[in-house]
Amino acid sequence: MTLFDKYSSLFLSGFGYTIMASLLALVASLVLGTVFALLQLSKKKGWAMVGNGYVQFFRNVPLLIITLFFYLAVAKVIKMTGFAAGTIALSLYTSAFIAECVRAGILSVDTGQMEGALANGLSYGQAMRKIILPQAFRIAIPSLGNQFINLVKNSSILAFVGGLDLMYQGNIVAANSFDTFTAYMIVGAFYLVLTLPLSYFMQYLEARTQGNQ
Amino acid sequence: MNDFFAALSADNLSYLLQGLGVTVGVSIFSIIISLIVGSFVGIAMFEKIPYFSSLIGTLNNIVRNLPLLLIIFFTYFSLPQVGIRLPIFWSTVVAMSFFEAAMLSEIIRGGLESIDKGQFEGARSTGMSNKQTMLYVIMPQAYKKMIPPLISQLISLVKDTSLASGIVLADLTYRGQVVYAQNSHYIVPILIFMTFAYFVVNYLLSLLAKYFDRKLA
Amino acid sequence: MEKNKKRLFGIIASILLVAFLIIAGVWAANAAQKNQTHQDTLERVKTTKQISWGVKTDTKLFGLVNTKTGKSEGFDVDLAKALTKQIGKQLNLNLTPTFTPVNASSKVQLLKNTNIDGVLAVMTITKERAKVVDFSDSYFPAGNSLLVKKDSGINSIKDLNDSSKTVLVALGTTAADTVKKEAPNAKILALQDYASAMQALKAGQGQAIVTDNAILYGLATENPDYKVVGGTLSYGPYGVAFDHNQKGMVEETNKALATLKKNGTYNALIKKWFGQVPGLDISQLEVK
């Protein structure tokens, strides 16, 4: 553990950046994902196509390429750090998966509820916001949780663009100490501190909802 | 537009396409290995063998919750420290298969659990053995249910091979970086080309999956 | 009965799996500790009749991939070929060189893994590194300098000593130490390799790249809006790296290098790769 003592400040600062990137991307991708899920379900063909195109695009293109695009091409026009470029790419990428989860959630809410709400004089937007979406999110919680775990893991992409995250610092420690074995073991342990509790919590929720059925 | 043609000159294009070959090669080997290993692990978790299943489940959880990038770096840079040396291509295949098997096994377990318990008893009562029930009754149905999540996981696998560019595997992503290292005007054209290439491979993969899906139905 | 059988199976399988994991863990810990049992590089070269070199793929003038052939080209690559031939002559063997692409984080690992025999990849000789690898005599007199945009107004490292400035370096190079010493207030951002650092500079992620001047001249020829400034900040000659305790291989390499320098091969290679670089005086590089 002497390696950890020697480089603890690097590991801890990387851990902080990883958490920050994950939280920022979580909020952004939840918002974007919901918007694009609604677009996909829109009755207007044009909007639905935009929604579908967005989701299909980001689901089929590597996150690394999207990150490089922001870091190398977009950053020339709009200045941004590697951390920002990585976090934006991560948000867009994850939002496509979240859109799928939310869409599935909305579709599994009984269509009668929408009709009922509309019959009671609520507008489409009101019905969506007050009646359908809350239920859809509740249904989608397990799959959303898995996407969040993926998001935390995928934040390691920041290492490719000098994003100061855990993996970036791990590479620096590995390159400086030449003890790659221990360096990456420590990095792995830090990621597990974030992802394992989440994963068990999701399994617990899943088991509970299955028990309720 | 001129940049686009210059970036994708005949030499560069053939260099990039060879990289696409590496990407596809790594993907195919990893898909095959991780499907086989993932099925075994998934069944082991589903069977609820006392102690063993939960032990496997815990190990599986640890692997699933690590970043793939870390596993790729670890396999290539750290395993040699304990005497396990693999050429870069196989090192990537091992890392991808190890990680993806864990992801797929979770999908396979979930698919098996969604099959009605009554079917087991029904099949058993017609005189089928445990193994036969699994092979002829449960697995085909389970696979049918699993296909959509399996496909999206396999698409993720293909995309994630790009991470191996970090250990200098000469795949499509790495070669793209080599090409735009020559001239920074090539960055955008090359990124567009790579996006397109990955999209096509993944689209073909999903078409193939749809074909199998229809055959099973 | 069926249930008991399953339970027994579960217990036995679990014990076996746990035992396997413990044994693997202990074995790995042991193996990691006594990783020093490496092979003799010279012996391996003699038996395989080839020398496998780690070279760069993204560094102009030293090792840059030609997409037509898919192979790296540059001073390092040519020197590796010449060294292979000369060492072959010394050993009375017909040796062939092979090349493996490396980056900053992989080069030492690959040496240790014996995937490659030697590294000729713009690697500066440092005390820290000499603890884990063996170096030959210096084969190139490099030193750290700055690459900046022509109209940036930055003329020396002192202009960067400010917390609003970011200096770009490549991961696993000596440049970060130089910057920490000369401009302690500047922020340092480490990128995967030189090409990424150059892209980052162009994208405005930092104000300067600090690394070896010869590499910077290479980048400047590609990117005419940028120039090398600041003189030589630290002297950091390149060496050929081998795994630790490879006395035989290092001696053969030094002997071959001395011969190449004497018979004019070395100067010819310097002229071939650096003769056309604007702003670089090759008389400083040539051996007399």
Side-chain angles (χ1 to χ4, degrees), chain A residues 26-153:
Chain A
L26 174 70
V27 174
S29 60
L30 267 177
V31 173
L32 279 173
T34 309
V35 169
F36 281 98
L38 291 175
L39 281 183
Q40 273 184 297
L41 293 169
S42 166
K43 296 233 163 56
K44 297 207 176 76
K45 270 238 169 84
W47 288 123
M49 259 171 68
V50 171
N52 280 327
Y54 178 88
V55 169
Q56 283 306 323
F57 179 81
F58 283 107
R59 280 168 57 103
N60 285 298
V61 174
L63 173 58
L64 179 56
I65 309 262
I66 301 164
T67 308
L68 290 174
F69 183 78
F70 275 92
Y71 188 64
L72 299 178
V74 178
K76 267 191 203 167
V77 189
I78 309 160
K79 281 219 161 162
M80 62 174 94
T81 61
F83 178 81
T87 308
I88 291 172
L90 193 59
S91 306
L92 293 177
Y93 181 80
T94 312
S95 73
F97 292 86
I98 287 189
E100 283 294 276
C101 301
V102 174
R103 191 181 68 113
I106 294 174
L107 286 177
S108 64
V109 177
D110 186 15
T111 47
Q113 297 208 20
M114 183 50 122
E115 282 154 25
L118 292 177
N120 276 322
L122 288 172
S123 73
Y124 179 84
Q126 282 172 324
M128 213 19 136
R129 217 167 45 236
K130 293 200 175 133
I131 306 208
I132 309 293
L133 275 183
Q135 296 183 64
F137 273 116
R138 211 165 307 137
I139 295 167
I141 279 180
S143 52
L144 284 176
N146 284 330
Q147 289 313 326
F148 185 42
I149 294 171
N150 282 341
L151 188 157
V152 174
K153 293 190 292 175

Side-chain angles (χ1 to χ4, degrees), chain C residues 248-263:
Chain C
M249 192 66 198
V250 173
E251 275 170 5
E252 290 296 335
T253 308
N254 285 342
K255 211 166 116 190
L257 191 60
T259 312
L260 295 178
K261 282 183 175 173
K262 220 179 284 165
N263 69 16

Side-chain angles (χ1 to χ4, degrees), chain B residues 69-145:
Chain B
L69 183 61
L70 180 72
I71 296 174
I72 290 174
F73 274 54
F74 187 85
T75 312
Y76 192 56
F77 291 146
S78 303
L79 283 188
Q81 231 172 332
V82 298
I84 302 169
R85 306 189 165 97
L86 297 166
I88 188 158
F89 182 89
W90 294 110
S91 173
T92 311
V93 169
V94 166
M96 300 285 309
S97 305
F98 184 69
F99 175 80
E100 296 295 344
M103 300 297 278
L104 294 177
S105 69
E106 217 19 65
I107 296 173
I108 288 165
R109 180 193 64 86
L112 289 174
E113 269 168 14
S114 68
I115 303 294
D116 187 13
K117 291 267 159 16
Q119 298 221 12
F120 273 95
E121 282 140 32
R124 214 71 68 68
S125 67
T126 63
M128 281 180 139
S129 76
N130 222 343
K131 221 183 265 166
Q132 283 172 325
T133 313
M134 206 62 189
L135 212 61
Y136 299 117
V137 181
I138 306 300
M139 282 309 265
Q141 289 186 61
Y143 267 118
K144 182 98 189 51
K145 281 211 165 161

